[in-house]
């Protein structure tokens, strides 16, 4: 089979460049708002993430098609897909520096400043996903591009913790990035941020110790990533003024929280069983929430096909597959983020799905310890059957 014939099986092929196309549109909209004085346009970032993309997901719908097995390897080696992620990093870095230049040198009103910081915060958060795609690959270039993409948001430890921590502990109580049923996003956020920091440091410390190296060395990948942030932020403040620091910090907080809102949705309430030897079973499709809404998948390079990603972490986004047996989110990640911010709405939408996934037996789910007794009482198998009958 030729490359051209294989490409024909990817129905979204010419949509993938919209990954960086979307952030260009957002940036142009924000700049237009600043130049014309139409301040609401400067808030293009949050409007895109919280309103426009969820609506587009709803109206455009899903694509659950998979590329045939015979074309997988051809698609995997097609450079077109790699270049889309490479260009994304270049575009995102240019937009980030441009926004910092405006925030640091222009006389902005409070609303204009807030618009730029929230917009660039959203773009920084989305760029973590591109870093995620690149960070799983085995080439030197993609590894460093992943660290570069993480530098603006000061979340470089994600490169270590996600690859060597989350992927081994996913859907277990020990994983700081796997949310528990009954745990609100606002409780999950500090737990995952601090837990991921500790996990990344301990992983790298143990790795270096096995090689006979000190944790305080240039070989520490966590320190490498943090060092890139220090250099980038330092250069920007040198160029545009120390007054830029609050802008940098706030956009980083917004970007990191956007990533963690996605993490919250990806494995909420799902639990891998322990084997007789005390180790957890291998991660299966049923241990990740999936979704096939097209717009969010284009924006996030197929991240919502999360089960296949955990089964094959190095597989490139264009080859990730839909699994019928994987639990399904009611909408794309963009819409789920909005729900996550409002815990009563989140519980109303998601808890019944966790219950259904485990056939009413929540003893099989990953439960928030403080909510465990209440959840087991409210969702006993008998009560679940009665509610279903009603």
């Amino acid at each position: 089979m030729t490359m051209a014939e294989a490409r024909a099986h990817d129905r979204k092929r010419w949509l993938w460049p919209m990954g960086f196309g979307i952030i260009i549109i957002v940036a142009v909209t924000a700049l237009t708002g600043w130049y014309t004085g139409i301040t609401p346009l400067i808030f293009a970032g949050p409007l895109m993430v919280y309103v426009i993309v969820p609506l587009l997901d709803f109206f455009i719908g899903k694509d659950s098609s998979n590329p045939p097995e015979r074309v997988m390897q051809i698609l995997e080696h097609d450079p077109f897909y790699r270049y889309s992620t490479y260009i994304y990093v270049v575009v995102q870095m240019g937009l980030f520096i441009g926004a910092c230049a405006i925030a640091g040198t222009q006389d902005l009103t409070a609303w204009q400043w807030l618009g730029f910081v929230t917009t660039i915060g959203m773009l920084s958060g989305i760029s973590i996903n591109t870093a995620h795609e690149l960070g799983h690959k085995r080439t030197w270039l993609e590894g460093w591009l992943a660290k570069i993409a993480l530098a603006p948001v000061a979340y470089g430890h994600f490169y270590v913790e996600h690859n060597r921590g989350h992927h081994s502990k996913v859907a277990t109580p020990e994983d700081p990035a796997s949310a528990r049923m009954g745990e609100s996003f606002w409780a999950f956020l500090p737990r995952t941020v601090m837990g991921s920091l500790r996990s990344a440091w301990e992983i790298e410390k143990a790795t270096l110790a096995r090689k006979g190296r000190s944790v305080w060395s240039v070989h520490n990948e966590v320190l490498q990533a943090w060092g890139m942030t220090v250099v980038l932020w330092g250069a920007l403040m040198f160029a545009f003024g120390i007054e830029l620091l609050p802008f940098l910090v706030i956009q980083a907080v917004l970007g990191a929280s956007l990533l963690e809102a996605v993490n919250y949705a990806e494995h909420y309430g799902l639990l891998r069983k322990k084997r007789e030897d005390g180790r957890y079973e291998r991660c299966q499709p049923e241990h990740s929430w999936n979704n096939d809404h097209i717009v969010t998948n284009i924006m996030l390079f197929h991240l919502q096909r999360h089960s296949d990603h955990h089964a094959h972490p190095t597989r490139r986004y264009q080859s990730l597959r839909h699994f019928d047996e994987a639990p399904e989110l009611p909408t794309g990640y963009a819409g789920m983020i909005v729900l996550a911010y409002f815990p009563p709405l989140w519980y109303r939408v998601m808890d019944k799905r966790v219950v259904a996934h485990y056939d009413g037996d929540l003893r099989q789910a990953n439960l928030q310890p403080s909510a465990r007794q209440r959840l087991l009482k409210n969702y006993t198998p008998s009560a679940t059957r009665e509610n279903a009958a009603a």
Side-chain angles (χ1 to χ4, degrees):
M1 178 176 288
T2 67
M3 180 76 77
E5 290 172 327
R7 290 171 175 173
H9 288 281
D10 181 5
R11 295 168 57 181
K12 297 189 284 287
R13 176 178 175 81
W14 297 109
L15 294 176
W16 294 119
M18 283 305 297
F20 60 81
I22 288 172
I23 66 172
I24 292 175
I25 293 170
V26 168
V28 170
T29 303
L31 288 172
T32 301
W34 170 55
Y35 184 77
T36 62
I38 306 175
T39 300
L41 292 180
I42 306 178
F43 290 84
L47 285 172
M48 181 267 294
V49 171
Y50 299 133
V51 180
I52 296 172
V53 171
L55 287 175
L56 289 175
D57 270 340
F58 178 78
F59 287 110
I60 294 177
K62 301 179 180 181
D63 173 25
S64 299
S65 63
N66 290 330
E69 198 67 35
R70 66 182 183 277
V71 308
M72 284 289 200
Q73 286 303 313
I74 300 175
L75 289 178
E76 280 280 304
H77 292 94
D78 187 340
F80 170 83
Y81 299 98
R82 295 199 305 275
Y83 295 156
S84 291
T85 56
Y86 299 173
I87 293 170
Y88 187 105
V89 176
V90 175
V91 170
Q92 184 262 342
M93 187 61 68
L95 296 177
F96 177 75
I97 294 172
C100 290
I102 292 172
T105 63
Q106 301 301 308
D107 186 18
L108 303 178
T109 68
W111 282 108
Q112 289 174 328
W113 189 93
L114 185 61
F116 274 116
V117 78
T118 53
T119 288
I120 204 64
M122 296 298 102
L123 299 188
S124 292
I126 296 169
S127 73
I128 298 177
N129 175 70
T130 307
H132 165 265
E133 169 66 22
L134 290 164
H136 275 292
K137 305 307 175 283
R138 293 177 176 147
T139 70
W140 176 89
L141 174 61
E142 287 169 302
W144 277 99
L145 283 174
K147 294 175 185 177
I148 290 170
L150 291 167
V153 76
Y155 226 58
H157 60 279
F158 174 83
Y159 179 83
V160 171
E161 200 286 325
H162 179 84
N163 290 2
R164 291 185 268 156
H166 173 64
H167 270 260
S168 65
K169 298 178 181 178
V170 62
T172 71
E174 291 80 21
D175 180 29
S178 294
R180 303 156 181 168
M181 181 179 177
E183 179 181 32
S184 74
F185 169 68
W186 303 109
F188 171 78
L189 183 59
R191 180 174 74 84
T192 190
V193 169
M194 297 309 299
S196 296
L197 278 168
R198 286 193 296 268
S199 175
W201 189 257
E202 291 302 320
I203 288 169
E204 195 64 4
K205 182 179 179 180
T207 299
L208 292 170
R210 287 194 295 271
K211 297 177 180 178
R213 292 170 174 165
S214 168
V215 70
W216 299 102
S217 74
V218 295
H219 302 286
N220 185 323
E221 292 194 284
V222 175
L223 292 180
Q224 289 174 8
W226 288 347
M228 294 175 72
T229 295
V230 170
V231 171
L232 175 63
W233 285 21
L236 290 170
M237 286 187 286
F238 178 80
F240 307 125
I242 191 67
E243 298 82 4
L244 190 62
L245 182 59
F247 182 91
L248 293 169
V249 171
I250 293 173
Q251 66 83 29
V253 170
L254 291 172
S257 67
L258 193 67
L259 162 76
E260 298 301 355
V262 170
N263 275 340
Y264 179 73
E266 287 174 339
H267 306 283
Y268 178 80
L270 303 179
L271 181 66
R272 287 154 59 195
K273 295 182 177 67
K274 276 192 175 181
R275 305 182 308 202
E276 290 184 1
D277 61 4
R279 301 175 66 184
Y280 286 102
E281 65 179 324
R282 184 178 179 181
C283 188
Q284 301 291 334
E286 60 265 25
H287 298 128
S288 302
W289 292 99
N290 282 244
N291 189 266
D292 277 323
H293 278 89
I294 294 172
V295 177
T296 301
N297 261 334
I298 291 298
M299 186 172 70
L300 298 181
F301 293 112
H302 252 166
L303 181 66
Q304 297 178 135
R305 292 193 170 185
H306 211 60
S307 290
D308 199 20
H309 167 68
H310 272 278
H312 304 94
T314 61
R315 176 170 285 169
R316 294 187 182 275
Y317 65 90
Q318 68 271 18
S319 303
L320 293 175
R321 298 164 298 172
H322 163 85
F323 288 112
D324 289 335
E325 63 268 35
E328 190 81 7
L329 293 170
T331 189
Y333 285 171
M336 297 308 296
I337 289 170
V338 177
L339 279 179
Y341 293 159
F342 302 95
L345 290 177
W346 175 271
Y347 297 146
R348 184 171 182 177
V349 170
M350 285 302 298
D351 283 6
K352 62 185 179 184
R353 286 175 165 79
V354 179
V355 173
H357 181 62
Y358 289 111
D359 296 323
D361 186 2
L362 285 186
R363 292 173 298 178
Q364 301 180 62
N366 188 7
L367 303 179
Q368 174 75 344
S370 61
R372 184 177 183 84
Q373 293 305 316
R374 172 179 60 81
L375 291 170
L376 290 175
K377 180 180 179 181
N378 291 345
Y379 294 105
T380 59
S382 58
T384 300
R385 286 192 292 269
E386 290 172 4
N387 290 335

